[in-house]
Amino acid sequence: MSDVYAARRGLLRERCAAAGNSAALITRPANVRYLAGASPLGAVLLVGPADDELFCAAPPTSEADEGRLDEGLTLSLLGGPGADPAVAAADRAAAVRADSLAVEEHHLTVARHRAVSSVAPRLRLADLGTAVEQQRLVKDEEEIACLRIAAEIADQALGELLESILVGRTERHLALELERRLVDHGADGPAFPTSVGTGPHSGRSRHRPSDRRVEEGDFLSVCLGANYRGYRCEIGRTFVIGTTPADWQIELYDLVFAAQRAGREALLPGAAYREVDHAARSVLDSAGYGEALAGCTGHGVGLEIDEDPQLAPTAMGKLDACVPVTVEPGVHLPGRGGVRIDDTLVVRPEADGGPELLTITTKELLAL
Amino acid sequence: MSDVYAARRGLLRERCAAAGNSAALITRPANVRYLAGASPLGAVLLVGPADDELFCAAPPTSEADEGRLDEGLTLSLLGGPGADPAVAAADRAAAVRADSLAVEEHHLTVARHRAVSSVAPRLRLADLGTAVEQQRLVKDEEEIACLRIAAEIADQALGELLESILVGRTERHLALELERRLVDHGADGPAFPTSVGTGPHSGRSRHRPSDRRVEEGDFLSVCLGANYRGYRCEIGRTFVIGTTPADWQIELYDLVFAAQRAGREALLPGAAYREVDHAARSVLDSAGYGEALAGCTGHGVGLEIDEDPQLAPTAMGKLDACVPVTVEPGVHLPGRGGVRIDDTLVVRPEADGGPELLTITTKELLAL
């Protein structure tokens, strides 16, 4: 793996040099992990001009959810509490005679930026922007393999829940049980806080589980994901509780299902982000649910659960092959509830069979 | 409660005015919650010069872990995805003719700071610094009551775990079970990721649970806390597994216990932060464990699990009454494990009986 990280840092170094910067200071944890193999708490990465170096406040613990540090990296442990690794890194950059340092202005706070510039006044600070995030967009097959395993784990945890009795249990407990099952099946942890919404809470994006209990006739929306070696997937399903769904439930479900399918089918290399969003959104719009819609109908996943691209009406850009994204339209009717259907897929060329579905739990409307 | 939040904002407004600023932009979530009663995802608070106003990207959901929004506040919902509430708030500040706006430079990123200043070029941006964090240091009795309940919940969850079979179970599962029990007893959730360390992992601060199983003869260190209405407490205990602890385990435990007691007994109004740290640290130092010690031996708790004050050798300042802090010295011997004992207490005058212990689980060395 070591050469993978070295290659990623090499690419970043080239991009920095092309922009006239001799070094880059990486502070955003997911970016540190992408380039260094691990992101110990508070660690920052200095890329070039000399050796690449990771600055930590505490020794890395080499636990799964921190990742394994690239052995090719120099490691610097800071002494003393309160010392900022970013300041130490800037000091080092100045010591090795870098003339300019690109920093992540979208992550670094104003106060830290000031501390960094004051420790190395001769160093010109530039903005790296989202260069690393852009590098992270297209995944290699090892990254996709981790996402595939994360999706399998989430499918297993969800499948087991569906075999258990649900009526009478609270959203909070169902969410906790799902998270336990994710770990049982080998996840390092949940990819994000598991969401369980019943009755009037169903269909809400990122609903935080409450003490409401599952009742006969409810819609039940579940959204969960596994973190496997740092890679995070997402699956969302909506079920009905009881023997026979009401007509409005069947109609709403079929509509959201059609919208989600349209979004999935629009996932092809070269498709504009907004086209994919429009494919799903227009189905719900034309049925009069435009207002009930969230800002985006899908997003990239990887080392973070919500990363670029955003599948939204105003998003700029086109999909590439090997970009994993979610497709997750939903409708929530205040006071009544609603439906959300969410899959994680990898964009693939039509020649390879089109989008690869990672989360394979059935999307028929199950009555539990 | 509404007047409590209004009073807090009034105090902040006075401090801003004294510093020559006519308005303040609060972006740090815990600070938003302290001043507004709730901190919906991404919400920011504009304090003065006219009405105080909360800017949200999405409607508040009024769930327990978000808090209840102060009805006295004006609420502004932003349309469109990707809109930054901080930018909207700065726009409003300019519209109501504020001449200067104090922002939280220790929280606001360089990129957001630029966006804020570009939307309102006539507005002079100043640094609010940690004014709100300082206001949060001394808790009122309602806040302390929440912390007291959070501590009771953590004591209950830990007590139940001690009655169950531990040998053969993994750190990960014990941590998940503790978190489930926290919720069972009324917590909105864990105050922080529950830490369970066995054998060589025991005694490590913030150890992330692994798949290691509890074995006979292990030290078992547990650190957990409950989040109750946003207020977070912390308790840490270390146990031995099996019938009879080894001599080194008893000696190490007695030493850490003595250090923790010395720290607790040093908690009095007017005591310097560093004196409290020294009281605990010197006991371990003199026994030759200085190196094995973390940067601080305790910290404040409240709406965040790690807030001011820091009880550390270099910390400046003195304790006040009604400041809740942890006292949590520990020693970890690489390869062997160690001991951590952690309580949450509220500083009280001697006349009132001295420090109030919130986490009351026994600190004798239990053999489980």
Side-chain angles (χ1 to χ4, degrees), chain B residues 105-158:
Chain B
E105 292 190 352
H106 59 297
H107 179 264
L108 206 59
T109 66
V110 174
R112 284 183 92 191
H113 190 273
R114 185 183 306 110
V116 162
S117 67
S118 63
V119 74
R122 287 216 187 72
L123 203 56
R124 182 174 54 78
L125 295 188
D127 184 10
L128 183 63
T130 58
V132 183
E133 285 85 350
Q134 296 314 308
Q135 233 177 294
R136 286 168 45 197
L137 264 175
V138 174
K139 272 65 174 180
D140 64 34
E141 286 305 322
E142 284 202 29
E143 294 179 284
I144 292 172
C146 289
L147 285 167
R148 209 177 276 123
I149 294 169
E152 284 173 17
I153 292 170
D155 279 321
Q156 288 170 314
L158 181 55

Short mmCIF file of all heavy atoms in Angstrom, two decimals, chain B residues 105-158:
data_model
loop_
_atom_site.label_atom_id
_atom_site.label_comp_id
_atom_site.label_asym_id
_atom_site.label_seq_id
_atom_site.Cartn_x
_atom_site.Cartn_y
_atom_site.Cartn_z
N GLU B 105 -13.09 33.65 15.34
CA GLU B 105 -11.96 33.31 14.45
C GLU B 105 -11.35 31.96 14.78
O GLU B 105 -10.67 31.37 13.94
CB GLU B 105 -10.89 34.41 14.52
CG GLU B 105 -11.36 35.73 13.92
CD GLU B 105 -10.23 36.73 13.77
OE1 GLU B 105 -9.11 36.47 14.27
OE2 GLU B 105 -10.47 37.79 13.16
N HIS B 106 -11.59 31.45 15.99
CA HIS B 106 -11.06 30.13 16.35
C HIS B 106 -11.96 29.02 15.81
O HIS B 106 -11.64 27.84 15.92
CB HIS B 106 -10.92 29.98 17.87
CG HIS B 106 -12.22 30.15 18.60
ND1 HIS B 106 -12.93 31.32 18.60
CD2 HIS B 106 -12.94 29.28 19.35
CE1 HIS B 106 -14.02 31.17 19.33
NE2 HIS B 106 -14.07 29.94 19.79
N HIS B 107 -13.12 29.39 15.25
CA HIS B 107 -14.02 28.39 14.67
C HIS B 107 -14.25 28.62 13.18
O HIS B 107 -14.31 27.67 12.40
CB HIS B 107 -15.36 28.38 15.40
CG HIS B 107 -16.33 27.39 14.83
ND1 HIS B 107 -17.29 27.75 13.90
CD2 HIS B 107 -16.45 26.06 15.02
CE1 HIS B 107 -17.97 26.67 13.57
NE2 HIS B 107 -17.49 25.64 14.23
N LEU B 108 -14.36 29.86 12.75
CA LEU B 108 -14.66 30.19 11.36
C LEU B 108 -13.44 29.86 10.48
O LEU B 108 -12.31 30.20 10.81
CB LEU B 108 -14.99 31.68 11.26
CG LEU B 108 -15.88 32.15 10.12
CD1 LEU B 108 -17.24 31.47 10.15
CD2 LEU B 108 -16.05 33.66 10.18
N THR B 109 -13.68 29.17 9.36
CA THR B 109 -12.55 28.87 8.47
C THR B 109 -12.16 30.13 7.68
O THR B 109 -12.95 31.06 7.55
CB THR B 109 -12.90 27.76 7.46
OG1 THR B 109 -13.91 28.26 6.57
CG2 THR B 109 -13.40 26.51 8.16
N VAL B 110 -10.95 30.09 7.14
CA VAL B 110 -10.46 31.21 6.33
C VAL B 110 -11.41 31.44 5.16
O VAL B 110 -11.77 32.59 4.84
CB VAL B 110 -9.04 30.91 5.82
CG1 VAL B 110 -8.57 31.99 4.86
CG2 VAL B 110 -8.07 30.77 6.99
N ALA B 111 -11.88 30.37 4.53
CA ALA B 111 -12.75 30.50 3.36
C ALA B 111 -14.09 31.13 3.74
O ALA B 111 -14.60 32.01 3.03
CB ALA B 111 -12.96 29.13 2.71
N ARG B 112 -14.68 30.69 4.85
CA ARG B 112 -15.97 31.27 5.27
C ARG B 112 -15.78 32.72 5.68
O ARG B 112 -16.63 33.58 5.39
CB ARG B 112 -16.56 30.48 6.45
CG ARG B 112 -17.16 29.17 6.06
CD ARG B 112 -17.78 28.49 7.28
NE ARG B 112 -19.20 28.82 7.45
CZ ARG B 112 -19.89 28.51 8.56
NH1 ARG B 112 -19.29 27.92 9.58
NH2 ARG B 112 -21.17 28.82 8.66
N HIS B 113 -14.67 33.02 6.35
CA HIS B 113 -14.38 34.38 6.77
C HIS B 113 -14.34 35.29 5.53
O HIS B 113 -14.90 36.39 5.54
CB HIS B 113 -13.05 34.42 7.52
CG HIS B 113 -12.77 35.73 8.20
ND1 HIS B 113 -12.14 36.78 7.57
CD2 HIS B 113 -13.03 36.16 9.47
CE1 HIS B 113 -12.02 37.78 8.41
NE2 HIS B 113 -12.54 37.44 9.57
N ARG B 114 -13.72 34.79 4.46
CA ARG B 114 -13.63 35.58 3.24
C ARG B 114 -15.03 35.79 2.65
O ARG B 114 -15.40 36.89 2.24
CB ARG B 114 -12.73 34.89 2.22
CG ARG B 114 -12.50 35.74 0.96
CD ARG B 114 -11.66 35.02 -0.08
NE ARG B 114 -10.41 34.54 0.43
CZ ARG B 114 -10.11 33.25 0.61
NH1 ARG B 114 -11.00 32.31 0.31
NH2 ARG B 114 -8.95 32.89 1.08
N ALA B 115 -15.84 34.72 2.65
CA ALA B 115 -17.20 34.83 2.09
C ALA B 115 -18.02 35.83 2.90
O ALA B 115 -18.77 36.64 2.34
CB ALA B 115 -17.87 33.46 2.10
N VAL B 116 -17.85 35.79 4.22
CA VAL B 116 -18.60 36.71 5.09
C VAL B 116 -18.18 38.15 4.80
O VAL B 116 -19.03 39.04 4.66
CB VAL B 116 -18.34 36.36 6.58
CG1 VAL B 116 -18.71 37.52 7.49
CG2 VAL B 116 -19.14 35.11 6.95
N SER B 117 -16.87 38.38 4.67
CA SER B 117 -16.44 39.76 4.47
C SER B 117 -16.78 40.24 3.07
O SER B 117 -17.04 41.43 2.85
CB SER B 117 -14.94 39.91 4.73
OG SER B 117 -14.21 39.21 3.75
N SER B 118 -16.85 39.33 2.09
CA SER B 118 -17.13 39.80 0.72
C SER B 118 -18.62 40.12 0.55
O SER B 118 -18.97 40.98 -0.25
CB SER B 118 -16.70 38.75 -0.30
OG SER B 118 -17.46 37.57 -0.12
N VAL B 119 -19.50 39.48 1.32
CA VAL B 119 -20.93 39.80 1.18
C VAL B 119 -21.25 41.14 1.84
O VAL B 119 -22.22 41.80 1.47
CB VAL B 119 -21.82 38.68 1.78
CG1 VAL B 119 -21.79 38.71 3.29
CG2 VAL B 119 -23.26 38.83 1.29
N ALA B 120 -20.42 41.53 2.80
CA ALA B 120 -20.67 42.79 3.51
C ALA B 120 -19.37 43.59 3.62
O ALA B 120 -18.80 43.72 4.70
CB ALA B 120 -21.25 42.51 4.89
N PRO B 121 -18.89 44.13 2.48
CA PRO B 121 -17.56 44.77 2.47
C PRO B 121 -17.44 45.96 3.42
O PRO B 121 -16.36 46.24 3.92
CB PRO B 121 -17.39 45.20 1.01
CG PRO B 121 -18.75 45.17 0.40
CD PRO B 121 -19.54 44.17 1.17
N ARG B 122 -18.58 46.62 3.72
CA ARG B 122 -18.50 47.79 4.60
C ARG B 122 -18.42 47.39 6.06
O ARG B 122 -18.13 48.21 6.93
CB ARG B 122 -19.72 48.69 4.40
CG ARG B 122 -19.70 49.45 3.09
CD ARG B 122 -20.29 50.85 3.24
NE ARG B 122 -20.40 51.49 1.92
CZ ARG B 122 -21.31 51.11 1.01
NH1 ARG B 122 -22.17 50.14 1.30
NH2 ARG B 122 -21.35 51.69 -0.17
N LEU B 123 -18.71 46.14 6.34
CA LEU B 123 -18.74 45.66 7.71
C LEU B 123 -17.30 45.36 8.16
O LEU B 123 -16.59 44.61 7.48
CB LEU B 123 -19.58 44.38 7.75
CG LEU B 123 -20.24 43.91 9.05
CD1 LEU B 123 -21.13 45.00 9.63
CD2 LEU B 123 -21.07 42.68 8.75
N ARG B 124 -16.88 45.95 9.28
CA ARG B 124 -15.55 45.64 9.81
C ARG B 124 -15.64 44.35 10.61
O ARG B 124 -16.47 44.24 11.51
CB ARG B 124 -15.06 46.79 10.70
CG ARG B 124 -13.65 46.60 11.26
CD ARG B 124 -13.18 47.85 12.01
NE ARG B 124 -14.14 48.26 13.05
CZ ARG B 124 -14.25 47.66 14.24
NH1 ARG B 124 -13.46 46.63 14.53
NH2 ARG B 124 -15.14 48.08 15.12
N LEU B 125 -14.83 43.35 10.24
CA LEU B 125 -14.87 42.07 10.96
C LEU B 125 -13.83 42.09 12.08
O LEU B 125 -12.66 42.40 11.85
CB LEU B 125 -14.60 40.90 10.02
CG LEU B 125 -15.65 40.66 8.93
CD1 LEU B 125 -15.36 39.37 8.18
CD2 LEU B 125 -17.05 40.63 9.52
N ALA B 126 -14.26 41.80 13.29
CA ALA B 126 -13.35 41.73 14.44
C ALA B 126 -13.35 40.29 14.96
O ALA B 126 -14.09 39.44 14.48
CB ALA B 126 -13.81 42.70 15.52
N ASP B 127 -12.50 40.03 15.95
CA ASP B 127 -12.41 38.69 16.54
C ASP B 127 -13.14 38.67 17.88
O ASP B 127 -12.79 39.42 18.79
CB ASP B 127 -10.94 38.29 16.73
CG ASP B 127 -10.80 36.86 17.26
OD1 ASP B 127 -11.82 36.14 17.28
OD2 ASP B 127 -9.68 36.48 17.63
N LEU B 128 -14.17 37.83 17.97
CA LEU B 128 -14.88 37.68 19.25
C LEU B 128 -14.04 36.87 20.23
O LEU B 128 -14.26 36.91 21.45
CB LEU B 128 -16.23 36.98 19.00
CG LEU B 128 -17.15 36.79 20.20
CD1 LEU B 128 -17.57 38.14 20.78
CD2 LEU B 128 -18.37 35.97 19.82
N GLY B 129 -13.08 36.13 19.69
CA GLY B 129 -12.28 35.25 20.55
C GLY B 129 -13.18 34.22 21.21
O GLY B 129 -14.20 33.82 20.66
N THR B 130 -12.82 33.82 22.42
CA THR B 130 -13.60 32.78 23.11
C THR B 130 -14.53 33.41 24.15
O THR B 130 -14.75 32.83 25.23
CB THR B 130 -12.65 31.79 23.81
OG1 THR B 130 -11.82 32.52 24.72
CG2 THR B 130 -11.75 31.08 22.81
N ALA B 131 -15.10 34.57 23.80
CA ALA B 131 -15.98 35.26 24.76
C ALA B 131 -17.13 34.35 25.22
O ALA B 131 -17.44 34.30 26.42
CB ALA B 131 -16.53 36.53 24.13
N VAL B 132 -17.74 33.62 24.30
CA VAL B 132 -18.88 32.78 24.70
C VAL B 132 -18.39 31.59 25.52
O VAL B 132 -19.00 31.24 26.53
CB VAL B 132 -19.67 32.30 23.46
CG1 VAL B 132 -20.89 31.50 23.90
CG2 VAL B 132 -20.10 33.50 22.62
N GLU B 133 -17.26 31.01 25.13
CA GLU B 133 -16.71 29.90 25.93
C GLU B 133 -16.44 30.36 27.36
O GLU B 133 -16.69 29.62 28.32
CB GLU B 133 -15.41 29.37 25.31
CG GLU B 133 -15.60 28.52 24.06
CD GLU B 133 -15.71 29.34 22.79
OE1 GLU B 133 -15.84 30.58 22.87
OE2 GLU B 133 -15.68 28.73 21.71
N GLN B 134 -15.95 31.58 27.51
CA GLN B 134 -15.68 32.08 28.86
C GLN B 134 -16.98 32.27 29.64
O GLN B 134 -17.06 31.98 30.83
CB GLN B 134 -14.90 33.41 28.79
CG GLN B 134 -13.51 33.26 28.18
CD GLN B 134 -12.73 32.08 28.74
OE1 GLN B 134 -12.60 31.94 29.95
NE2 GLN B 134 -12.26 31.19 27.86
N GLN B 135 -18.03 32.73 28.91
CA GLN B 135 -19.34 32.88 29.55
C GLN B 135 -19.87 31.53 30.02
O GLN B 135 -20.58 31.44 31.02
CB GLN B 135 -20.31 33.48 28.53
CG GLN B 135 -21.03 34.73 28.99
CD GLN B 135 -21.92 35.29 27.89
OE1 GLN B 135 -21.43 35.76 26.86
NE2 GLN B 135 -23.22 35.25 28.10
N ARG B 136 -19.50 30.46 29.30
CA ARG B 136 -20.03 29.13 29.59
C ARG B 136 -19.34 28.45 30.77
O ARG B 136 -19.82 27.43 31.28
CB ARG B 136 -19.89 28.23 28.35
CG ARG B 136 -20.89 28.55 27.24
CD ARG B 136 -20.51 27.85 25.94
NE ARG B 136 -20.13 26.45 26.14
CZ ARG B 136 -19.46 25.73 25.24
NH1 ARG B 136 -19.09 26.27 24.09
NH2 ARG B 136 -19.16 24.48 25.49
N LEU B 137 -18.20 29.02 31.22
CA LEU B 137 -17.39 28.37 32.26
C LEU B 137 -18.18 28.07 33.52
O LEU B 137 -18.26 26.93 33.97
CB LEU B 137 -16.21 29.28 32.63
CG LEU B 137 -14.86 29.03 31.97
CD1 LEU B 137 -13.87 30.11 32.39
CD2 LEU B 137 -14.34 27.66 32.35
N VAL B 138 -18.77 29.11 34.12
CA VAL B 138 -19.54 28.95 35.36
C VAL B 138 -20.96 28.58 34.99
O VAL B 138 -21.61 29.28 34.22
CB VAL B 138 -19.52 30.25 36.19
CG1 VAL B 138 -20.44 30.13 37.40
CG2 VAL B 138 -18.08 30.56 36.63
N LYS B 139 -21.43 27.44 35.52
CA LYS B 139 -22.77 26.95 35.17
C LYS B 139 -23.81 27.44 36.16
O LYS B 139 -23.51 27.62 37.35
CB LYS B 139 -22.76 25.42 35.15
CG LYS B 139 -22.37 24.79 33.80
CD LYS B 139 -20.94 25.07 33.38
CE LYS B 139 -20.56 24.30 32.11
NZ LYS B 139 -19.15 24.60 31.72
N ASP B 140 -25.05 27.62 35.69
CA ASP B 140 -26.14 27.94 36.62
C ASP B 140 -26.71 26.62 37.14
O ASP B 140 -26.35 25.53 36.67
CB ASP B 140 -27.21 28.81 35.95
CG ASP B 140 -27.91 28.11 34.80
OD1 ASP B 140 -28.10 26.87 34.86
OD2 ASP B 140 -28.27 28.80 33.82
N GLU B 141 -27.62 26.72 38.12
CA GLU B 141 -28.07 25.48 38.77
C GLU B 141 -28.87 24.60 37.82
O GLU B 141 -28.89 23.37 37.97
CB GLU B 141 -28.84 25.79 40.05
CG GLU B 141 -27.94 26.26 41.21
CD GLU B 141 -26.80 25.26 41.54
OE1 GLU B 141 -27.03 24.02 41.48
OE2 GLU B 141 -25.69 25.71 41.85
N GLU B 142 -29.52 25.19 36.81
CA GLU B 142 -30.24 24.35 35.84
C GLU B 142 -29.26 23.52 35.02
O GLU B 142 -29.50 22.34 34.73
CB GLU B 142 -31.09 25.21 34.91
CG GLU B 142 -32.35 25.72 35.56
CD GLU B 142 -33.41 26.09 34.52
OE1 GLU B 142 -33.43 25.49 33.43
OE2 GLU B 142 -34.21 27.00 34.81
N GLU B 143 -28.14 24.15 34.65
CA GLU B 143 -27.13 23.41 33.89
C GLU B 143 -26.53 22.30 34.75
O GLU B 143 -26.35 21.16 34.29
CB GLU B 143 -26.02 24.36 33.44
CG GLU B 143 -26.47 25.40 32.43
CD GLU B 143 -25.32 26.32 32.04
OE1 GLU B 143 -24.98 27.21 32.84
OE2 GLU B 143 -24.77 26.11 30.94
N ILE B 144 -26.26 22.62 36.02
CA ILE B 144 -25.67 21.61 36.92
C ILE B 144 -26.67 20.48 37.15
O ILE B 144 -26.28 19.31 37.22
CB ILE B 144 -25.21 22.27 38.23
CG1 ILE B 144 -24.01 23.19 37.95
CG2 ILE B 144 -24.86 21.22 39.28
CD1 ILE B 144 -23.58 24.05 39.13
N ALA B 145 -27.97 20.81 37.20
CA ALA B 145 -28.98 19.76 37.37
C ALA B 145 -28.94 18.79 36.18
O ALA B 145 -29.05 17.58 36.36
CB ALA B 145 -30.36 20.38 37.51
N CYS B 146 -28.75 19.31 34.98
CA CYS B 146 -28.64 18.43 33.81
C CYS B 146 -27.40 17.55 33.91
O CYS B 146 -27.45 16.34 33.61
CB CYS B 146 -28.58 19.26 32.53
SG CYS B 146 -30.15 20.05 32.10
N LEU B 147 -26.29 18.13 34.37
CA LEU B 147 -25.06 17.35 34.52
C LEU B 147 -25.24 16.27 35.58
O LEU B 147 -24.74 15.15 35.45
CB LEU B 147 -23.89 18.27 34.90
CG LEU B 147 -23.33 19.13 33.77
CD1 LEU B 147 -22.42 20.21 34.33
CD2 LEU B 147 -22.57 18.26 32.78
N ARG B 148 -26.00 16.61 36.64
CA ARG B 148 -26.22 15.64 37.72
C ARG B 148 -27.00 14.44 37.19
O ARG B 148 -26.66 13.29 37.45
CB ARG B 148 -26.98 16.33 38.87
CG ARG B 148 -26.70 15.76 40.24
CD ARG B 148 -27.43 16.55 41.32
NE ARG B 148 -26.70 17.74 41.75
CZ ARG B 148 -27.19 18.98 41.71
NH1 ARG B 148 -28.41 19.20 41.23
NH2 ARG B 148 -26.47 19.99 42.12
N ILE B 149 -28.02 14.71 36.37
CA ILE B 149 -28.81 13.61 35.79
C ILE B 149 -27.94 12.81 34.82
O ILE B 149 -27.95 11.57 34.84
CB ILE B 149 -30.06 14.17 35.09
CG1 ILE B 149 -31.00 14.80 36.12
CG2 ILE B 149 -30.77 13.08 34.29
CD1 ILE B 149 -32.13 15.61 35.52
N ALA B 150 -27.13 13.51 34.02
CA ALA B 150 -26.24 12.80 33.08
C ALA B 150 -25.31 11.86 33.84
O ALA B 150 -25.07 10.72 33.42
CB ALA B 150 -25.44 13.81 32.27
N ALA B 151 -24.83 12.31 34.99
CA ALA B 151 -23.91 11.48 35.79
C ALA B 151 -24.64 10.27 36.38
O ALA B 151 -24.11 9.15 36.38
CB ALA B 151 -23.29 12.32 36.91
N GLU B 152 -25.88 10.49 36.85
CA GLU B 152 -26.67 9.37 37.38
C GLU B 152 -26.86 8.30 36.31
O GLU B 152 -26.72 7.10 36.57
CB GLU B 152 -28.05 9.85 37.84
CG GLU B 152 -28.05 10.59 39.16
CD GLU B 152 -29.44 11.20 39.46
OE1 GLU B 152 -30.43 10.77 38.81
OE2 GLU B 152 -29.50 12.09 40.32
N ILE B 153 -27.16 8.75 35.10
CA ILE B 153 -27.39 7.80 34.00
C ILE B 153 -26.11 7.00 33.73
O ILE B 153 -26.16 5.77 33.59
CB ILE B 153 -27.83 8.57 32.73
CG1 ILE B 153 -29.22 9.18 32.93
CG2 ILE B 153 -27.80 7.66 31.51
CD1 ILE B 153 -29.63 10.16 31.84
N ALA B 154 -24.97 7.67 33.73
CA ALA B 154 -23.70 6.97 33.46
C ALA B 154 -23.40 5.98 34.59
O ALA B 154 -22.96 4.85 34.34
CB ALA B 154 -22.57 7.98 33.31
N ASP B 155 -23.66 6.39 35.84
CA ASP B 155 -23.45 5.47 36.97
C ASP B 155 -24.33 4.23 36.82
O ASP B 155 -23.87 3.10 37.05
CB ASP B 155 -23.78 6.17 38.30
CG ASP B 155 -22.64 7.05 38.80
OD1 ASP B 155 -21.47 6.64 38.68
OD2 ASP B 155 -22.92 8.15 39.32
N GLN B 156 -25.59 4.43 36.42
CA GLN B 156 -26.50 3.28 36.27
C GLN B 156 -26.01 2.34 35.17
O GLN B 156 -25.97 1.13 35.36
CB GLN B 156 -27.91 3.78 35.93
CG GLN B 156 -28.62 4.44 37.12
CD GLN B 156 -29.91 5.12 36.68
OE1 GLN B 156 -29.92 5.85 35.68
NE2 GLN B 156 -30.98 4.91 37.42
N ALA B 157 -25.63 2.90 34.03
CA ALA B 157 -25.19 2.06 32.90
C ALA B 157 -23.95 1.26 33.31
O ALA B 157 -23.85 0.06 33.05
CB ALA B 157 -24.89 2.93 31.69
N LEU B 158 -23.02 1.90 33.99
CA LEU B 158 -21.79 1.22 34.41
C LEU B 158 -22.11 0.16 35.45
O LEU B 158 -21.63 -0.98 35.37
CB LEU B 158 -20.80 2.25 34.96
CG LEU B 158 -19.45 1.72 35.42
CD1 LEU B 158 -18.76 0.95 34.30
CD2 LEU B 158 -18.56 2.88 35.88
#
